[in-house]
Amino acid sequence: MDTRTPIPASQQPIAMSSRQNTSASAGLRLLRTVVGAACYFVFYFVQQMAELFAPLLLIAGAAWAALPALVKTLTRTTASADPQAHDAIASVANAIPEQITLAGHELTASGLICDGLGLMAVAAAGATLAMLVGRKL
């Protein structure tokens, strides 16, 4: 005589539903992979662009900030040597702008330096997020 208790009908596996669950989970895994790959692409692209422009902005801002000081130093040293050279260098010193308006945006030396540092932070955040998304894939 069989002493095992039968499994209720509600708990018995159905072959059709297990196939549907497998294909649904495969579809969700594919969707997750596609979304993760798109996020990884965006984060990595932003990181690369930030790494490209950050040093350019930093160098341009630092050079622009240092240029007036260098020209003033040059003006002081040439003042006693040649009056004409002194006048030429003084006119160059006066021609260096403190700010430039480009397409409605005001650019300054300190602004370029801050933008460069901000882009460095964006590059670091992009690298971190790309790494996290890459681990999840």
Side-chain angles (χ1 to χ4, degrees), residues 54-64:
L56 296 174
L57 292 176
L58 280 171
I59 291 170
W64 189 4

Side-chain angles (χ1 to χ4, degrees), residues 48-62 116-117 119-120:
Q48 292 297 314
M49 295 302 291
E51 285 179 353
L52 175 69
F53 287 111
L56 296 174
L57 292 176
L58 280 171
I59 291 170
L117 292 173
L119 282 176
M120 290 175 88

